[in-house]
Amino acid sequence: MLEKSENLNDYLDNHYIHRSNWLRAAVLGANDGILSTASIAIGVTAASGMREAIVLATLAGLVAGALSMAAGEYVSVSSQTDIEKADIERERQELSEMPEIELQRLAEIYEKRGLTKETALQVALEFTEHDALGAHVRDELGITEISQAKPMQAALASGAAFTIGGLLPFMVTLFLPLESMEYSLYGSALLFLAILGTLAARTGGSGIGKAVMRITFWGTVAMGLTALVGYLFHVNVN
């Protein structure tokens, strides 16, 4: 019996859904880091031929973007957590005030999922006896341990990923020739985005080709529009 339980745990470990929270934040942060800093650098390069201005603008964008990304993730995910806590507290109150109605509601949920009316009621009764609040939180509200919001995890993953992603185009502005800077930034950013799409797809268990095409296409659009703005305003930064 113990061996079967261990085999079941190993089987569940092979699934990818438990990675969804931190993977979403990390991919968002890294993608934004690469795109934001590369786009800033391309835009400033198009408007100015001075390396110092390009490096300074890119560094400022990197620092501000990483802090903004981490803070934004924390605030937004915390708001989601507040909503979840409020719903859980409301469910706790409803269970206290009208347990019969809540039991019937739970049975109806199971019946809609394919159980007979009698079986659904029996399942609802057993779950209620074991952990009524947990059953309603999971099956009525749809909140599980995997999907539950984790503000600090999201903030750290997103901020760190943005920093790593942003450092890549920043290094390009430091060391590659100024004459071909725009092309170097564009090419390297597409390469970094393709690598990110591949890593994200492999980590999440999805198709690599589709992920790479999606991330590089929108990256091209973002950098192209930023370069266009730089050309249109073509201001020399002294």
Side-chain angles (χ1 to χ4, degrees), residues 2 11 15 17-18 31 40 56 60 63 70 90 99 112 120 130 135 142 158 171 177 190 201 204 228 238:
L2 179 61
Y11 168 75
H15 290 267
I17 189 63
H18 63 280
N31 179 75
I40 289 172
L56 181 60
V63 174
R90 179 181 177 183
K112 288 179 180 178
H130 176 69
S158 190
M171 298 299 288
L190 284 185
L228 178 61
N238 297 314

Side-chain angles (χ1 to χ4, degrees), residues 114-175:
L115 298 181
T116 63
K117 190 170 185 177
E118 295 75 15
T119 303
L121 181 58
Q122 182 60 35
V123 171
L125 280 168
E126 292 187 18
F127 274 141
T128 299
E129 290 175 0
H130 176 69
D131 181 7
L133 181 61
H136 282 271
V137 168
R138 180 184 64 251
D139 295 320
E140 185 178 344
L141 302 181
I143 300 174
T144 65
E145 184 179 350
I146 293 175
S147 66
Q148 196 168 19
K150 298 178 179 65
M152 189 56 68
Q153 181 190 67
L156 292 176
S158 190
F162 186 101
T163 302
I164 294 172
L167 281 173
L168 300 175
F170 177 67
M171 298 299 288
V172 172
T173 65
L174 286 176
F175 299 111

Side-chain angles (χ1 to χ4, degrees), residues 82-99 102 105 132-133 136-137 140-141 143:
D82 292 340
I83 294 173
E84 291 175 353
K85 289 180 178 178
D87 273 347
I88 292 173
E89 189 55 40
R90 179 181 177 183
E91 197 63 38
R92 192 194 309 276
Q93 184 176 353
E94 289 176 348
L95 282 168
S96 175
E97 295 176 352
M98 44 185 184
E102 287 297 303
R105 184 176 298 170
L133 181 61
H136 282 271
V137 168
E140 185 178 344
L141 302 181
I143 300 174

